[in-house]
Amino acid sequence: MKRRNFVQSVALSSIGAPLVLKNFKFGAVTEDLFKSSKSAGDRVLVIIRMNGGNDGLSTLVPLDQYANLTVQRSNILIPENQLLTITPTNALHPSMSGMRDMFNNERLSIIQNVGYPEQNRSHFRSMDIWTSGMLDPNATRGWLGRYLDQQFPNFPDDYPDTQNPDPFAISMGYEVSATCQGLAANFSVAVNNPFDSYNLVETGQVNDGTYYGSHMEYLSTLIMQANAYGAQVNAAANAGSSLSTMYDPADDVSKNLKYIAQMISGGLKTKIYIVNVNGFDTHDGQVVSGAPTTGAHANLLSRISTAVAAFQNDLSLLGLEHRVAGMTFSEFGRQIASNASDGTDHGDAAPLFLFGSCINTGIIGPNPVISNTVVDQAGVPMQIDFRDVYASILKDWFEADPTEIQGMFEQTVNFIPVLSSCNLGVEENFKESDVLIFPNPCVDQTTLKFKCSGEKVTVRVYDTSGTLVSEVCSKEFQPGEHLVPISMDGHPSGNYIVTVHKNSGTFTKKFIKLKTI
Amino acid sequence: MIPEENVQEPISLSLTPYTGSWTKAEAAHLLRRTMFGPTFNQITQAVSNGMNATVAQLLTPVSVSPPLAFHPDEAVTATGSTWINDVYPASPGPTNNARLFSLGAWFMQRINQPNVSIQEKMCLFWDNHFGVDGTNEAKAVYGMHEKYRLNYLGNFKQLVKDMTIDPMMLLFLNGATNNPFSPNENYARELLELFTVGKGPQVGPGDYSNYTEADVAAGAKILTGWTVTDLYSTTASQPTNVFYPILHDTSSKTLSPYFGSTVIPDAGNLEYANYIDVIFSQPDMAKYLCRKIYRWFVNYDLTPSVESTVIADMASTLSSNNFEVQPVIEQLLKSEHFYDISVRGSIIKNPLELLFSMLNASGSVPGYTVPVNYEIYLNLYYLSQVMGMEYLRAPSVGGWTAYYQTPAFSRLWANSSLLKLRFDLGSYMTITPGIVVNGNPFKLNALNLVNNLSLPSSAPQVIDDILTVFTCKGVSVIEKAILKSILTNGQPDFEWTIQYNDYLADPGNTTVSTPVRQRIEFVLYRLFQLPESQVI
């Protein structure tokens, strides 16, 4: 395949003079340097792993199911009046004010009910499935490792080289990330503190063809890479800056995202950063007994929400917003019914967050339906396959070729527009913050939200070939916000476009109709 | 890099007794895999004793003294006495922390022993197997660890039964809050997935090919009724489990066809044991533990041929001995396959193996007062923690990723970030004063190391012996020359001989001992940065 050139023209570390750069007021110049860059080549993906299985129903609460949630999980359920409402039918956990603000500022989107068929409730197996992006138990490579293998064959032997002096991926802390496991080695470099310097002894080892020899070769390659990559990371961290005051200095998630902002702003060309957050396996003490807004889960969500909001703020101040997108993932959600230990056991699907200025805003996917009776071991059914999310990120964000993406996954992938709003040639207009379609994807019914100033508004639905599917309405509306139901009953599943014609212009949104499960 | 499939296959996949050559290479291989860093003397002694006698020695129990109070926050037990049966004060927090510190230090002290014994490797094996995070009531933590220690080569089925109702385990995996009104599946799941039969490929919804989600749910019901009492007690000597019949689900529980669709009737406080008996009757039950033993002692790579030969044979030994662990370990350590050249050096040292290969191989044991020794050991605990291995605080119930995460396995101990720390540790233990507690230093004992080599006055022999101790297959000719020139400071070999003999003539004189110590430390400083010293 054609090797994609990750754009290097604006990466300051290639100037290679960290002492000079140290006195450079970085925040002032990045605006012009980076804001114009629209290509996928210099885009960065930040992944936050919520390790242990995040309780989605406490993270994004389906308000229309609240009555039944009281039947299922009264001991951990957060009072409705304390939740942070973000749409008429959805609310965030009260400790997530940072991410609530991001949602309102169109910097956060949420995909609901993400999982895979035949959920495996083992932490280990399910995490392997999520990191590999494969259900095949023999898969050993990570989903990003497969992508990077395509881009950079012969890793690690041929790298770093002059075209690629920086680590392809960085995993914050002391562990590499299984998402980046490639054919011969892991593409991620573990960086605990980018300000550390490296000067390891380089020696030649001979591979004698045994496991031992293979380790010798691995370790000597690692030493050379650690020196080379370590110097690059160190120079970038020293050259970079961080401008946000919203980080929590006492918290590791904040600290790591701040390091990442510093490395990106210092010109590091690393494509992928991974931050790991442990502690989501909340079998007990998920909430403090009798005080469900507090406890282990509230603390975890608060740490992530604060850190992500600070990071987004930092990127904005550094003029880097258009280059960076983020996502969260967890190996599974938790069961609908709580247990007697003020906790929840391993479940199935859960919501996943995307953040950045290029995301397609809103909530993708309908609210889960919660039964009014407790069913043993019931979890939230999967509606969107996580592999579709991965594939869509590769397509929208790294602009990888759809055919090649399909080749990386075992099932037929459905592309969902998740991060396409910064791409050129997209027939949507996302600048109009007053137009929102939810749920998206939908099943038979979705709702359009828009604002207008006492005028005639026409709403139409088209398919992707431009054929009119239905005219939803065409009439005078009062000034203010309106909710218009759109029925998709009887139409085939697939991609659709809704247009809202007002005096101020025509606004369009893509949405998806799902197959009925 | 060579793709894994091109790595040389073992010549022998047989567990029949090894009868090949028995030299320092084979003896050191045995001791490195079963201990935390043998000395040169232990290696040569094993050569002269032979394989059978050395394995017998490794399997002989050694007596152990319990952890001692040392920390100023300990409010009940006198410094230097053990706290393991002592009550707590009314405000137990600081005392408990002091006891947890004592326990962490004690683990390090246990590993830092001169015994030729497999005991500590097996205790760590069980810690990895059950994956408990021991941040809790210190006596409950110690009580659980004692089950590993008393049963380290004992009966696996009995150990699983003991662990199922162990107070610490009941707390850790929520057995203590599992009740019929609202079952908590945490322990029931890990019992099957990680402790006994292990998880097979998922072959259907909730079907993991040797157990199902329904078994997890049934197990949770079977295990209801157990809880823990006398935690942090000011009167009772031990926290204990207690069975409340009223909290036990008395319905009959039906297991899946993987367990013969067995119905487990209500049996109160004996029901858990009946259930475990059923689990252990599954035909392939023994294989899961044998794979873990294999990965711990032999090699990470469970190829189809290893599965069908070595693992199958080990499993047959384990199950035919009614799950007694010692026979299968003994058979493995004496087998042709264990000494096969293809598996030597195939494991990258875990942080404790790395740390204690430096200390134990040089016979370095702190000899100060109890509080100073324990502070030193606590520092060692922190060092291994930073490098990714906290004793009794595995990152998850699955244990450390290096023992299960494909395809990297033990390479996970040495990524670019951790490798720097490992090299820093090598520097710390050689060319710096090391750990200093109240003016009392502790690090690798270079003089003791060199004095116990075969011919310390000969520079080439010193290098050869050091490579025997710290590497599996030596180093390149060029690297060996570099190490020798570090030892002799670039002088002819006889200069080292003179220096060493001057020191021998007047060992208490630091003017002559310091250069000898420093030259050895410089050699080891270099050696510890070479990939060859990173594996066992």
Side-chain angles (χ1 to χ4, degrees):
Chain A
M1 69 162 286
K2 182 171 67 82
R3 180 181 291 191
R4 195 175 299 281
N5 262 337
F6 293 141
V7 173
Q8 288 129 37
S9 55
V10 295
L12 292 182
S13 69
S14 59
I15 297 168
L19 278 177
V20 176
L21 291 173
K22 262 193 166 172
N23 299 322
F24 220 71
K25 282 293 159 224
F26 210 84
V29 296
T30 46
E31 189 96 9
D32 295 321
L33 283 172
F34 290 126
K35 235 184 178 166
S36 58
S37 76
K38 288 261 194 275
S39 82
D42 58 357
R43 284 181 177 169
V44 172
L45 179 67
V46 176
I47 297 176
I48 298 177
R49 181 174 83 133
M50 300 159 84
N51 192 17
N54 179 40
D55 184 23
L57 288 173
S58 294
T59 308
L60 179 71
V61 182
L63 296 174
D64 53 355
Q65 309 292 317
Y66 195 87
N68 288 347
L69 286 171
T70 61
V71 176
Q72 303 276 355
R73 37 167 66 202
S74 61
N75 57 337
I76 63 161
L77 189 62
I78 293 158
E80 199 167 0
N81 61 5
Q82 309 227 25
L83 292 167
L84 306 178
T85 302
I86 53 171
T87 75
T89 55
N90 295 93
L92 290 169
H93 190 284
S95 63
M96 298 176 74
S97 57
M99 287 173 95
R100 184 264 320 268
D101 296 344
M102 287 174 70
F103 185 87
N104 290 338
N105 295 326
E106 304 204 316
R107 293 293 180 269
L108 183 79
S109 77
I110 308 168
I111 310 180
Q112 298 215 73
N113 314 320
V114 185
Y116 53 87
E118 293 185 13
Q119 178 71 45
N120 194 305
R121 287 184 177 178
S122 152
H123 287 294
F124 305 93
R125 178 71 196 117
S126 195
M127 189 52 86
D128 283 349
I129 289 171
W130 273 86
T131 53
S132 66
M134 303 271 279
L135 302 189
D136 177 1
N138 298 313
T140 56
R141 290 193 285 164
W143 68 283
L144 290 165
R146 287 199 298 281
Y147 168 67
L148 291 167
D149 271 335
Q150 283 189 349
Q151 309 288 316
F152 307 104
N154 230 1
F155 181 84
D157 292 358
D158 294 353
Y159 300 94
D161 61 7
T162 47
Q163 293 284 296
N164 304 283
D166 297 340
F168 294 103
I170 285 177
S171 172
M172 300 307 296
Y174 289 116
E175 282 178 38
V176 294
S177 170
T179 60
C180 297
Q181 181 65 44
L183 209 51
N186 195 300
F187 280 90
S188 64
V189 168
V191 172
N192 185 53
N193 180 344
F195 294 93
D196 284 346
S197 60
Y198 276 76
N199 189 18
L200 310 181
V201 178
E202 296 185 13
T203 50
Q205 270 68 33
V206 179
N207 188 332
D208 65 3
T210 65
Y211 293 105
Y212 168 85
S214 174
H215 285 331
M216 291 303 108
E217 189 177 354
Y218 165 76
L219 290 168
S220 53
T221 307
L222 192 65
I223 289 169
M224 285 185 279
Q225 283 190 347
N227 283 339
Y229 285 148
Q232 292 291 107
V233 167
N234 195 234
N238 283 314
S241 45
S242 164
L243 302 173
S244 178
T245 56
M246 289 165 62
Y247 293 109
D248 174 358
D251 172 51
D252 266 2
V253 188
S254 273
K255 184 188 77 181
N256 283 324
L257 286 175
K258 183 175 177 170
Y259 280 153
I260 292 170
Q262 284 167 319
M263 288 187 274
I264 299 171
S265 73
L268 202 69
K269 283 175 269 178
T270 296
K271 304 290 302 163
I272 295 153
Y273 295 86
I274 299 106
V275 174
N276 185 44
V277 188
N278 289 327
F280 284 89
D281 193 22
T282 48
H283 285 284
D284 64 338
Q286 174 170 329
V287 303
V288 170
S289 195
T293 60
T294 61
H297 195 237
N299 293 340
L300 287 163
L301 294 177
S302 165
R303 291 169 56 204
I304 289 180
S305 172
T306 301
V308 169
F311 182 62
Q312 195 65 43
N313 175 247
D314 214 358
L315 295 173
S316 166
L317 296 169
L318 291 162
L320 294 168
E321 256 191 325
H322 278 60
R323 285 187 54 209
V324 183
M327 70 174 285
T328 65
F329 79 98
S330 189
E331 66 266 43
F332 37 65
R334 307 194 75 82
Q335 291 178 16
I336 295 170
S338 57
N339 61 34
S341 332
D342 296 320
T344 45
D345 293 336
H346 304 182
D348 303 334
L352 172 156
F353 293 100
L354 296 169
F355 57 90
S357 63
C358 292
I359 50 153
N360 296 6
T361 52
I363 296 178
I364 298 173
N367 281 358
V369 177
I370 307 297
S371 162
N372 59 5
T373 53
V374 173
V375 178
D376 245 7
Q377 293 190 300
V380 172
M382 178 277 275
Q383 213 152 16
I384 294 180
D385 194 303
F386 78 107
R387 295 167 295 181
D388 290 345
V389 178
Y390 288 173
S392 304
I393 287 171
L394 291 174
K395 175 172 173 286
D396 283 356
W397 194 238
F398 290 136
E399 296 186 343
D401 179 73
T403 315
E404 284 167 7
I405 297 172
Q406 179 59 69
M408 291 164 50
F409 292 94
E410 57 204 335
Q411 93 290 17
T412 304
V413 295
N414 297 303
F415 292 106
I416 310 163
V418 288
L419 281 163
S420 59
S421 74
C422 288
N423 292 347
L424 301 174
V426 173
E427 66 279 31
E428 286 183 294
N429 181 339
F430 290 90
K431 302 306 166 204
E432 177 62 8
S433 60
D434 297 330
V435 177
L436 182 68
I437 189 155
F438 61 91
N440 180 19
C442 64
V443 183
D444 286 333
Q445 184 83 21
T446 187
T447 303
L448 177 74
K449 183 178 97 172
F450 65 90
K451 278 185 194 161
C452 65
S453 53
E455 59 187 317
K456 184 180 178 189
V457 178
T458 305
V459 177
R460 296 191 180 101
V461 174
Y462 295 88
D463 68 18
T464 45
S465 67
T467 308
L468 181 68
V469 174
S470 66
E471 181 164 299
V472 179
C473 65
S474 181
K475 61 170 186 176
E476 291 291 330
F477 279 86
Q478 295 294 313
E481 189 176 283
H482 302 278
L483 298 175
V484 176
I486 300 175
S487 170
M488 295 302 291
D489 202 10
H491 296 296
S493 62
N495 287 292
Y496 292 89
I497 295 158
V498 61
T499 66
V500 181
H501 181 73
K502 303 194 290 180
N503 289 339
S504 50
T506 301
F507 303 97
T508 59
K509 284 273 184 193
K510 272 187 188 172
F511 70 99
I512 293 174
K513 184 187 173 188
L514 292 174
K515 290 192 189 85
T516 311
I517 299 168
Chain B
M1 312 264 267
I2 323 184
E4 291 295 286
E5 57 267 30
N6 295 349
V7 171
Q8 183 188 312
E9 286 277 316
I11 298 157
S12 172
L13 291 162
S14 170
L15 293 185
T16 54
Y18 173 73
T19 54
S21 63
W22 185 252
T23 67
K24 290 201 285 282
E26 290 76 25
H29 172 67
L30 172 64
L31 298 185
R32 272 195 282 268
R33 293 294 176 90
T34 51
M35 297 163 56
F36 287 84
T39 64
F40 186 75
N41 278 343
Q42 286 168 335
I43 294 168
T44 52
Q45 195 64 51
V47 173
S48 56
N49 290 350
M51 176 181 77
N52 287 337
T54 306
V55 171
Q57 189 184 4
L58 283 164
L59 300 178
T60 304
V62 291
S63 65
V64 175
S65 58
L68 306 177
F70 78 102
H71 197 274
D73 285 349
E74 168 66 58
V76 176
T77 309
T79 294
S81 300
T82 185
W83 46 264
I84 61 169
N85 293 312
D86 286 359
V87 298
Y88 279 94
S91 300
T95 294
N96 196 54
N97 282 339
R99 291 174 180 186
L100 288 175
F101 286 144
S102 162
L103 197 50
W106 180 78
F107 289 135
M108 300 300 101
Q109 186 182 39
R110 287 304 319 148
I111 294 175
N112 184 219
Q113 298 287 326
N115 306 316
V116 176
S117 166
I118 201 171
Q119 184 174 3
E120 298 306 324
K121 264 281 164 74
M122 284 306 301
C123 286
L124 188 61
F125 172 84
W126 293 119
D127 183 30
N128 182 62
H129 184 74
F130 288 103
V132 175
D133 180 350
T135 307
N136 211 306
E137 206 252 41
K139 288 191 288 182
V141 180
Y142 180 77
M144 180 194 70
H145 178 78
E146 210 175 17
K147 293 190 171 70
Y148 304 156
R149 192 165 284 279
L150 294 174
N151 204 17
Y152 68 95
L153 290 171
N155 191 283
F156 177 46
K157 194 198 288 192
Q158 188 58 46
L159 182 61
V160 171
K161 288 180 182 175
D162 292 347
M163 287 300 291
T164 300
I165 56 164
D166 174 78
M168 180 65 221
M169 185 59 98
L170 288 170
L171 297 172
F172 177 60
L173 291 181
N174 310 112
T177 49
N178 174 28
N179 67 50
F181 319 109
S182 191
N184 189 311
E185 294 175 352
N186 206 0
Y187 184 80
R189 178 180 304 282
E190 309 307 10
L191 174 65
L192 294 171
E193 178 182 337
L194 296 172
F195 302 157
T196 57
V197 288
K199 173 176 35 65
Q202 189 168 9
V203 292
D207 184 340
Y208 306 113
S209 69
N210 43 9
Y211 66 92
T212 67
E213 281 293 329
D215 292 320
V216 171
K221 289 178 183 169
I222 289 167
L223 299 167
T224 49
W226 290 95
T227 182
V228 181
T229 186
D230 288 333
L231 286 167
Y232 302 105
S233 172
T234 55
T235 52
S237 71
Q238 292 298 330
T240 49
N241 56 31
V242 53
F243 181 78
Y244 289 111
I246 197 169
L247 292 177
H248 180 66
D249 186 327
T250 55
S251 63
S252 285
K253 299 91 183 173
T254 305
L255 303 178
S256 72
Y258 293 122
F259 298 105
S261 304
T262 306
V263 176
I264 306 280
D266 177 37
N269 63 350
L270 300 176
E271 193 171 326
Y272 79 94
N274 297 343
Y275 176 45
I276 289 167
D277 285 336
V278 171
I279 296 173
F280 272 73
S281 64
Q282 193 176 90
D284 278 346
M285 166 62 215
K287 282 190 177 167
Y288 177 71
L289 187 75
C290 290
R291 290 185 193 107
K292 290 187 102 169
I293 292 174
Y294 185 83
R295 285 193 163 143
W296 192 256
F297 287 107
V298 185
N299 189 17
Y300 62 89
D301 198 7
L302 291 168
T303 62
S305 55
V306 168
E307 269 286 336
S308 64
T309 55
V310 183
I311 299 300
D313 293 345
M314 287 172 70
S316 145
T317 302
L318 183 61
S319 51
S320 67
N321 283 284
N322 190 30
F323 296 95
E324 290 292 330
V325 173
Q326 177 156 337
V328 71
I329 299 274
E330 181 169 3
Q331 180 184 38
L332 183 66
L333 298 180
K334 291 180 176 176
S335 70
E336 278 186 5
H337 181 66
F338 182 77
Y339 295 98
D340 197 279
I341 191 69
S342 71
V343 299
R344 305 233 195 124
S346 62
I347 298 175
I348 293 180
K349 288 175 182 170
N350 70 37
L352 289 167
E353 287 163 342
L354 184 76
L355 175 58
F356 286 96
S357 68
M358 298 174 186
L359 296 169
N360 289 8
S362 69
S364 186
V365 177
Y368 306 110
T369 62
V370 168
V372 172
N373 289 347
Y374 269 62
E375 279 290 344
I376 287 171
Y377 283 126
L378 208 47
N379 277 280
L380 295 177
Y381 188 94
Y382 293 145
L383 287 175
S384 59
Q385 174 188 45
V386 170
M387 291 186 294
M389 194 174 213
E390 285 175 90
Y391 204 131
L392 250 169
R393 285 175 183 80
S396 80
V397 65
W400 285 279
T401 52
Y403 296 101
Y404 64 82
Q405 190 69 59
T406 56
F409 291 101
S410 63
R411 289 182 184 182
L412 292 168
W413 295 126
N415 62 49
S416 54
S417 184
L418 292 171
L419 193 63
K420 183 175 187 307
L421 288 176
R422 290 163 77 95
F423 290 177
D424 287 348
L425 176 76
S427 316
Y428 190 47
M429 286 291 138
T430 53
I431 58 168
T432 76
I435 297 163
V436 181
V437 173
N438 299 339
N440 301 296
F442 181 68
K443 63 173 187 174
L444 175 151
N445 189 336
L447 287 174
N448 193 51
L449 174 75
V450 71
N451 291 342
N452 286 290
L453 300 179
S454 66
L455 191 55
S457 60
S458 158
Q461 195 60 49
V462 166
I463 298 302
D464 277 347
D465 289 354
I466 282 178
L467 292 176
T468 295
V469 172
F470 291 105
T471 69
C472 297
K473 298 187 182 180
V475 295
S476 70
V477 175
I478 296 169
E479 193 57 48
K480 211 162 144 176
I482 293 171
L483 292 172
K484 187 162 74 66
S485 81
I486 293 173
L487 183 69
T488 61
N489 203 10
Q491 307 291 319
D493 290 354
F494 69 81
E495 295 287 356
W496 163 260
T497 307
I498 292 169
Q499 185 67 47
Y500 185 78
N501 287 336
D502 286 353
Y503 153 68
L504 265 195
D506 190 6
N509 179 351
T510 53
T511 311
V512 286
S513 69
T514 301
V516 170
R517 176 177 58 75
Q518 277 186 343
R519 297 327 301 177
I520 296 289
E521 286 172 355
F522 287 154
V523 167
L524 295 175
Y525 165 69
R526 167 90 187 181
L527 180 61
F528 293 157
Q529 302 214 14
L530 298 181
E532 288 87 341
S533 70
Q534 295 289 321
V535 295
I536 54 172

